Amino acid sequence: GVQLVESGGGSVQTGGSLRLSCVASESVYMNYCMAWFRQAPGKEREGVAAIANAGTKTVYVDSVKGRFTISQDNGRYTLNLQMNSLKAEDTGMYYCAARTCANWWLDSLAADRYSYWGRGTQVTVSS
Protein backbone atom coordinates (compact mmCIF):
# COMPACT_ATOMS: atom_id res chain seq x y z
CA GLY A 1 0.00 0.00 0.00
CA VAL A 2 0.90 3.68 -0.04
CA GLN A 3 3.11 4.76 2.80
CA LEU A 4 4.90 8.02 3.44
CA VAL A 5 6.61 8.45 6.81
CA GLU A 6 8.42 11.65 7.71
CA SER A 7 11.11 12.14 10.34
CA GLY A 8 13.81 14.60 11.32
CA GLY A 9 11.81 17.51 12.63
CA GLY A 10 12.68 19.30 15.83
CA SER A 11 13.40 22.62 17.49
CA VAL A 12 16.35 24.75 16.43
CA GLN A 13 17.52 28.30 16.78
CA THR A 14 17.51 30.83 13.97
CA GLY A 15 20.35 30.08 11.59
CA GLY A 16 20.43 26.39 12.44
CA SER A 17 19.91 23.36 10.22
CA LEU A 18 17.66 20.32 10.07
CA ARG A 19 17.42 17.41 7.67
CA LEU A 20 14.00 15.92 7.06
CA SER A 21 13.51 12.46 5.60
CA CYS A 22 10.48 10.71 4.14
CA VAL A 23 10.53 6.97 3.63
CA ALA A 24 8.13 5.89 0.91
CA SER A 25 6.72 2.55 -0.07
CA GLU A 26 8.41 1.18 -3.16
CA SER A 27 5.33 1.55 -5.35
CA VAL A 28 5.05 5.24 -4.54
CA TYR A 29 8.73 5.99 -4.86
CA MET A 30 9.07 4.28 -8.23
CA ASN A 31 5.91 5.62 -9.86
CA TYR A 32 5.20 9.06 -8.47
CA CYS A 33 6.76 12.49 -8.19
CA MET A 34 7.32 13.76 -4.68
CA ALA A 35 7.50 17.02 -2.79
CA TRP A 36 7.69 18.69 0.60
CA PHE A 37 4.95 20.97 1.88
CA ARG A 38 4.58 22.90 5.11
CA GLN A 39 1.76 24.42 7.08
CA ALA A 40 2.02 27.02 9.81
CA PRO A 41 -0.81 27.58 12.29
CA GLY A 42 -3.59 29.59 10.71
CA LYS A 43 -2.05 29.44 7.25
CA GLU A 44 -2.65 27.40 4.14
CA ARG A 45 -0.44 24.50 3.20
CA GLU A 46 2.49 25.73 1.10
CA GLY A 47 4.64 23.89 -1.39
CA VAL A 48 8.29 24.09 -0.37
CA ALA A 49 10.20 21.91 -2.84
CA ALA A 50 9.45 19.27 -5.45
CA ILE A 51 11.54 16.75 -7.36
CA ALA A 52 11.13 14.65 -10.50
CA ASN A 53 12.96 12.73 -13.21
CA ALA A 54 15.07 10.72 -10.81
CA GLY A 55 16.17 13.87 -9.06
CA THR A 56 17.28 15.76 -12.13
CA LYS A 57 14.49 18.33 -11.90
CA THR A 58 13.79 20.35 -8.77
CA VAL A 59 11.54 23.27 -7.94
CA TYR A 60 11.60 25.51 -4.87
CA VAL A 61 9.35 28.20 -3.47
CA ASP A 62 11.20 31.52 -3.62
CA SER A 63 11.44 31.90 0.16
CA VAL A 64 13.67 28.82 0.55
CA LYS A 65 15.87 29.07 -2.55
CA GLY A 66 19.53 28.90 -1.64
CA ARG A 67 18.74 27.55 1.83
CA PHE A 68 16.87 24.26 1.28
CA THR A 69 17.86 21.30 -0.88
CA ILE A 70 15.54 18.48 -1.89
CA SER A 71 17.08 15.15 -2.85
CA GLN A 72 16.35 11.47 -3.27
CA ASP A 73 18.11 8.39 -1.98
CA ASN A 74 17.04 5.80 -4.51
CA GLY A 75 18.55 2.88 -2.65
CA ARG A 76 16.42 3.59 0.38
CA TYR A 77 13.25 4.95 -1.26
CA THR A 78 13.79 8.11 0.73
CA LEU A 79 13.07 11.74 0.00
CA ASN A 80 15.17 14.27 1.89
CA LEU A 81 15.00 17.98 2.62
CA GLN A 82 18.16 19.64 3.90
CA MET A 83 17.24 22.92 5.54
CA ASN A 84 19.97 25.44 6.34
CA SER A 85 19.94 29.02 7.64
CA LEU A 86 16.55 28.41 9.18
CA LYS A 87 14.31 31.37 9.98
CA ALA A 88 11.38 31.77 12.34
CA GLU A 89 9.04 31.86 9.34
CA ASP A 90 10.13 28.33 8.42
CA THR A 91 8.25 27.06 11.48
CA GLY A 92 5.44 24.65 10.71
CA MET A 93 4.39 21.08 10.14
CA TYR A 94 6.28 19.62 7.20
CA TYR A 95 4.64 17.01 5.01
CA CYS A 96 5.91 14.65 2.37
CA ALA A 97 3.55 14.13 -0.57
CA ALA A 98 3.34 12.19 -3.82
CA ARG A 99 1.46 12.64 -7.11
CA THR A 100 1.41 11.33 -10.63
CA CYS A 101 4.11 12.90 -12.75
CA ALA A 102 1.93 13.93 -15.68
CA ASN A 103 2.42 17.63 -16.40
CA TRP A 104 4.49 17.90 -13.24
CA TRP A 105 6.24 21.06 -14.38
CA LEU A 106 2.97 22.99 -14.63
CA ASP A 107 2.02 22.87 -10.96
CA SER A 108 4.64 20.95 -9.03
CA LEU A 109 4.03 22.91 -5.82
CA ALA A 110 0.22 22.85 -5.91
CA ALA A 111 -1.08 20.89 -2.92
CA ASP A 112 -4.32 19.88 -4.61
CA ARG A 113 -2.39 17.95 -7.25
CA TYR A 114 -0.93 15.56 -4.67
CA SER A 115 -2.84 12.42 -3.83
CA TYR A 116 -0.77 10.88 -1.06
CA TRP A 117 0.42 12.50 2.14
CA GLY A 118 2.42 11.61 5.19
CA ARG A 119 1.40 12.61 8.70
CA GLY A 120 4.01 15.32 9.00
CA THR A 121 6.92 16.26 11.20
CA GLN A 122 7.07 19.48 13.23
CA VAL A 123 9.78 22.07 12.67
CA THR A 124 10.11 24.92 15.15
CA VAL A 125 12.63 27.72 14.68
CA SER A 126 13.09 30.22 17.47
CA SER A 127 15.40 33.13 18.10
Side-chain angles (χ1 to χ4, degrees):
V2 175
Q3 185 176 17
L4 297 169
V5 180
E6 303 95 336
S7 63
S11 297
V12 296
Q13 291 189 326
T14 301
S17 297
L18 283 173
R19 184 176 179 86
L20 305 184
S21 294
C22 171
V23 178
S25 54
E26 180 180 356
S27 61
V28 171
Y29 193 88
M30 298 300 290
N31 297 295
Y32 291 85
C33 289
M34 300 177 70
W36 286 99
F37 288 79
R38 66 186 178 190
Q39 189 166 20
K43 294 188 176 181
E44 292 188 355
R45 194 165 294 190
E46 173 188 44
V48 175
I51 193 166
N53 285 28
T56 60
K57 295 187 182 298
T58 57
V59 173
Y60 297 90
V61 67
D62 285 347
S63 61
V64 308
K65 287 180 181 177
R67 301 187 298 121
F68 290 12
T69 303
I70 189 171
S71 64
Q72 292 178 267
D73 183 341
N74 294 330
R76 299 183 179 183
Y77 304 140
T78 299
L79 178 73
N80 300 307
L81 185 68
Q82 178 66 42
M83 306 187 296
N84 299 328
S85 302
L86 283 162
K87 305 175 181 181
E89 51 263 43
D90 295 319
T91 294
M93 186 70 78
Y94 281 68
Y95 299 90
C96 173
R99 56 165 283 178
T100 59
C101 297
N103 297 320
W104 173 86
W105 62 91
L106 294 176
D107 47 14
S108 55
L109 294 180
D112 60 0
R113 295 287 286 118
Y114 285 78
S115 303
Y116 303 106
W117 295 83
R119 293 188 175 185
T121 185
Q122 177 68 36
V123 171
T124 303
V125 185
S126 57
S127 57

